[in-house]
Amino acid sequence: MKLCSVKLNDGFLMPMLGLGTSAPSKVAKSDVEEAVMKAIDVGYRHFDSAYFYLNEEEIGRAIWKKIADGSVKREDIFYTSKLWGTFFRPELVLTSLETSLRKLQLSYVDLYLIHFPVPLKPGEELFPKDRNGELIFDTVDFCTTWEAMERCKDAGLAKSIGVSNFNRKQLERILNKPGLKYKPVCNQVECHPYLNQSKLLEFCKSQDIVLTAYAALGSNSGKEWVSKNNPVLLEDPVLNAIAARHRRTPAQVALRYQLQRGVVALAKSFNPKRIQENFQVLDFQLTPEDMDTLDGLNRNMRYFVDTVPADPLALGALMSCAQTLLALQGHPM
């Protein structure tokens, strides 16, 4: 099956189905490497990672192994990385990207995103904290960070640039920034039938910004940064009934739902069977009634903000702190 793509506002093409690579600490880095190689064999060409995920060396090795055996060429791969909050100062943005490129053994990334609209104190710690254990934020305006992102694009180190976890007001701050050279090509956010982001999607479409869905299959309580009380999306009876009618898995239906809305979907799995199953979403169509029913599942429920885990590397810790900071700024997530 040939993977469909969407044209970004700078003219580049982005495959609409990608493999997400963030993983709980219990997942071995070697498993990430194997998953990427399996995904390339299956047909995936879009891979999403970040400085924060601490797995770019393994992903780079996987990509180069598949290039070496003739499976793909570099230009076949669409690779996304992200700028972490401790690198928001303009003079550090290029440094961060170059660090990722060295780990990946690549000369450019296809897409570089601001990971969160929240600056953190620069330094070696991913989560810099004071003596009371509180996160130390920085005072950098992300509009200034965006100017450094534009320079990364001009230098050819990132073909396209965008943002992640931005709400409408934060997007508008960049779009309305005096002297804007490139507007974001995409906004990557949590998005699934329980959180369909319909208003944000409508706004992004009006601005020719692609919405990319992480946690497109929901998430489970086995991950340390996820709430233990939320229902499991893939066990939803309505989703399962639609899947049964189409003789598909609930995950395939959840992914197909996003593609038909014009949303780029990231499917995350390290299981070879599920990696293959999740790719098989291009040869069936949900009916308008199916789409309306899935829209009706929305309950504005997030998997990624309800807990602050003890593990300082867990993404939920920043999500919760970011939510608090943004609320103080009048920009709730």
Side-chain angles (χ1 to χ4, degrees):
M1 289 180 289
K2 185 173 177 60
L3 191 57
C4 55
S5 297
V6 61
K7 190 172 185 179
L8 303 174
N9 63 40
D10 62 0
F12 291 106
L13 295 177
M14 181 183 191
M16 289 196 70
L17 183 63
L19 185 79
T21 64
S22 67
S25 55
K26 64 183 179 182
V27 174
K29 298 294 176 63
S30 59
D31 289 346
V32 176
E33 186 173 337
E34 290 296 324
V36 171
M37 290 192 291
K38 171 64 178 177
I40 289 175
D41 289 340
V42 165
Y44 285 88
R45 296 295 182 262
H46 176 177
F47 298 92
D48 181 89
S49 189
Y51 176 90
F52 172 78
Y53 299 167
L54 305 177
N55 60 14
E56 292 193 301
E57 289 182 4
E58 289 75 17
I59 294 172
R61 276 201 301 270
I63 290 172
W64 279 109
K65 285 179 181 179
K66 299 314 293 183
I67 291 175
D69 72 12
S71 298
V72 290
K73 299 176 182 178
R74 169 62 186 98
E75 56 266 30
D76 298 328
I77 299 295
F78 188 99
Y79 181 80
T80 300
S81 188
K82 306 182 189 78
L83 176 77
W84 189 241
T86 53
F87 295 94
F88 266 39
R89 294 185 183 180
E91 65 272 19
L92 299 179
V93 173
L94 182 61
T95 300
S96 176
L97 177 52
E98 289 176 335
T99 298
S100 287
L101 291 172
R102 280 196 300 272
K103 291 179 179 179
L104 293 158
Q105 301 178 69
L106 298 178
S107 60
Y108 67 91
V109 298
D110 296 271
L111 179 59
Y112 200 45
L113 306 178
I114 295 179
H115 204 148
F116 280 91
V118 182
L120 298 171
K121 177 187 175 184
E124 296 297 319
E125 297 295 325
L126 289 173
F127 291 102
K129 295 182 179 180
D130 62 21
R131 64 183 63 186
N132 297 317
E134 298 294 326
L135 271 180
I136 304 174
F137 298 104
D138 205 3
T139 56
V140 185
D141 186 332
F142 60 69
C143 285
T144 305
T145 305
W146 185 255
E147 293 173 0
M149 296 283 286
E150 292 177 323
R151 290 193 287 274
C152 290
K153 179 174 171 65
D154 283 336
L157 300 181
K159 285 192 171 183
S160 301
I161 53 176
V163 297
S164 180
N165 297 299
F166 274 53
N167 62 26
R168 174 174 175 163
K169 289 182 179 179
Q170 291 152 352
L171 279 171
E172 286 177 333
R173 284 195 59 210
I174 290 180
L175 294 172
N176 296 328
K177 186 185 78 66
L180 180 70
K181 187 170 186 180
Y182 306 114
K183 67 180 183 178
V185 300
C186 86
N187 183 22
Q188 185 182 129
V189 296
E190 179 180 349
C191 184
H192 43 75
Y194 285 167
L195 180 70
N196 66 24
Q197 299 277 17
S198 59
K199 291 183 179 179
L200 184 59
L201 174 59
E202 181 181 2
F203 174 74
C204 286
K205 285 183 175 180
S206 75
Q207 299 296 319
D208 198 16
I209 295 172
V210 171
L211 195 73
T212 299
Y214 70 78
L217 303 179
S219 202
N220 62 61
S221 59
K223 296 173 182 175
E224 60 260 35
W225 57 77
V226 171
S227 169
K228 309 305 178 188
N229 301 316
N230 287 342
V232 178
L233 173 67
L234 298 183
E235 295 177 359
D236 185 273
V238 174
L239 182 63
N240 276 265
I242 293 174
R245 285 201 299 274
H246 288 274
R247 298 183 180 180
R248 298 285 173 161
T249 67
Q252 288 170 335
V253 171
L255 293 171
R256 184 70 206 180
Y257 167 70
Q258 299 292 7
L259 300 188
Q260 289 186 211
R261 303 168 76 216
V263 174
V264 172
L266 300 177
K268 183 166 58 180
S269 179
F270 303 104
N271 178 291
K273 180 175 182 289
R274 287 197 290 272
I275 288 172
Q276 183 155 7
E277 283 181 350
N278 291 343
F279 190 75
Q280 295 169 336
V281 296
L282 307 175
D283 59 347
F284 78 103
Q285 191 88 3
L286 296 172
T287 67
E289 292 77 19
D290 292 333
M291 295 296 290
D292 288 342
T293 300
L294 291 168
D295 281 338
L297 293 179
N298 184 59
R299 53 183 78 179
N300 293 319
M301 190 200 81
R302 296 178 183 272
Y303 284 98
F304 285 83
V305 297
D306 294 332
T307 61
V308 181
D311 180 358
L313 295 182
L315 186 55
L318 182 61
M319 287 294 289
S320 295
C321 293
Q323 186 182 36
T324 301
L325 180 65
L326 295 172
L328 290 173
Q329 295 174 339
H331 304 310
M333 292 179 72

